[in-house]
Amino acid sequence: MVHKQVSRLMQVNYIREEPVWYQAVLQFPPLSLPPKAPPSRPNAEAEIPPQLTSKSKLRRPKNQPLAISYLEDEVRRQFFRDHPFEAFRPVSIVEAGLVEPEHPVRGKEWTRLSQRGKNPTAEDAVLFAVNLHNHHKVSLTVAYTRAVAEFRALRAEYDIANTFARMEAEAYGIVFSSAIDRTFEREDKVYQAAEHKKALDEGARLARKRWRAILGVDSGMGNTWSRGQEYAKLQEQGIRPTHLVVDDPATQSTPTDDIESGSDEFMRLWSN
């Protein structure tokens, strides 16, 4: 409505003076328009040209996009058909800031799968089969068979080595816990850390209690603080405080006596 829009503009001071018709429109607002019904289309299906119906023969366009196909995809598809459980092995797909460089062993120098490690991945086996086919002029069937055979042999060797290493470690007393046990151990460490912190806090609290000032001990000048006036008064009267140890004058030695006794001892050692 026009009067509603003018009201908003007046609230933000966009229109400073009220229009002449504004009060009249507020008293007699216009009627709202009825809802608009959609137009009727009784013969909508009849208007479709016969060339666009499903029964008509459609011409294929002349320019067709070429199929994008890589040899690695075909080998990878066949490899996972033969080794479906390899798809369950976790693989990190996190990308770093730089593209990972290619392995230095590639091309004609790559003749055995073990050249890239004793524990090859599925991707290593696929790339090895394609490398044999492209650079060593081996048929794809023979290259795939050789890559799979070396892959299985290296995996079996790796599993056997791990099994015997585990048995040797267990013989020396090492206990391998499961994932659930490791989770419980982490929880216990958290609980023990909280208890250790609580014990440290309790020890610090006891230490503060142990070294706090004890005001109930009589120092000889009363248990009330006189701002030093009592101490000055005793000093004027020539009275020593009771917390000082007074040495016996008879047992005190002068510096001259110490020097003379030291000289006599030195001469005695020199004569000997």
Side-chain angles (χ1 to χ4, degrees):
M1 294 296 179
V2 178
H3 64 283
K4 294 182 179 179
Q5 184 66 21
V6 172
S7 301
R8 300 189 189 98
L9 295 176
M10 290 174 61
Q11 290 178 0
V12 298
N13 295 329
Y14 188 81
I15 299 178
R16 302 184 181 276
E17 296 182 0
E18 183 180 301
V20 181
W21 51 267
Y22 183 71
Q23 294 296 334
V25 173
L26 290 180
Q27 294 179 5
F28 305 98
L31 299 176
S32 59
L33 297 176
K36 185 177 181 181
S40 60
R41 297 178 180 179
N43 299 328
E45 297 180 357
E47 296 176 0
I48 300 177
Q51 295 83 2
L52 300 180
T53 59
S54 59
K55 296 180 180 180
S56 61
K57 296 182 179 180
L58 300 178
R59 293 182 180 181
R60 301 184 63 180
K62 296 181 180 180
N63 299 328
Q64 290 287 339
L66 298 177
I68 301 176
S69 177
Y70 293 95
L71 185 60
E72 289 83 352
D73 295 337
E74 298 179 5
V75 177
R76 189 179 294 108
R77 191 179 300 110
Q78 183 62 38
F79 180 86
F80 282 106
R81 287 198 190 113
D82 299 335
H83 307 83
F85 290 100
E86 288 295 326
F88 293 98
R89 293 185 181 273
V91 178
S92 176
I93 58 175
V94 178
E95 297 182 357
L98 299 176
V99 179
E100 184 179 358
E102 294 186 9
H103 200 278
V105 180
R106 61 180 183 273
K108 293 184 178 181
E109 299 178 356
W110 195 10
T111 58
R112 298 189 65 84
L113 183 58
S114 59
Q115 291 177 268
R116 290 200 177 184
K118 298 298 182 180
N119 185 25
T121 61
E123 192 65 22
D124 293 336
V126 172
L127 296 178
F128 180 63
V130 176
N131 185 78
L132 290 177
H133 177 69
N134 293 335
H135 296 279
H136 295 276
K137 306 304 179 182
V138 181
S139 64
L140 188 59
T141 303
V142 176
Y144 176 77
T145 304
R146 179 178 171 183
V148 168
E150 293 190 15
F151 174 80
R152 294 174 180 174
L154 290 174
R155 275 295 177 85
E157 181 181 353
Y158 182 79
D159 292 340
I160 293 173
N162 278 347
T163 302
F164 277 91
R166 185 185 183 94
M167 293 170 61
E168 183 180 1
E170 290 177 350
Y172 280 100
I174 298 178
V175 179
F176 294 96
S177 58
S178 62
I180 298 176
D181 294 336
R182 289 194 294 269
T183 304
F184 286 136
E185 290 176 1
R186 295 193 190 100
E187 292 181 356
D188 293 339
K189 289 181 180 179
V190 173
Y191 296 146
Q192 292 174 4
E195 294 177 358
H196 183 62
K197 182 179 179 182
K198 183 178 180 181
L200 291 178
D201 295 342
E202 185 69 19
R205 188 176 63 84
L206 293 176
R208 288 194 298 268
K209 285 185 176 181
R210 188 181 301 115
W211 295 106
R212 68 179 182 179
I214 301 176
L215 303 178
V217 178
D218 189 5
S219 60
M221 296 183 295
N223 293 330
T224 59
W225 183 46
S226 62
R227 298 184 180 180
Q229 296 178 2
E230 189 68 24
Y231 186 85
K233 183 179 179 180
L234 295 176
Q235 185 180 9
E236 292 176 356
Q237 296 176 2
I239 302 175
R240 292 178 178 270
T242 56
H243 61 271
L244 293 178
V245 179
V246 180
D247 296 334
D248 189 3
T251 60
Q252 292 182 353
S253 61
T254 60
T256 306
D257 298 338
D258 295 338
I259 294 174
E260 291 178 356
S261 61
S263 300
D264 295 341
E265 183 67 20
F266 177 79
M267 292 303 293
R268 185 178 61 81
L269 294 174
W270 176 259
S271 61
N272 295 332

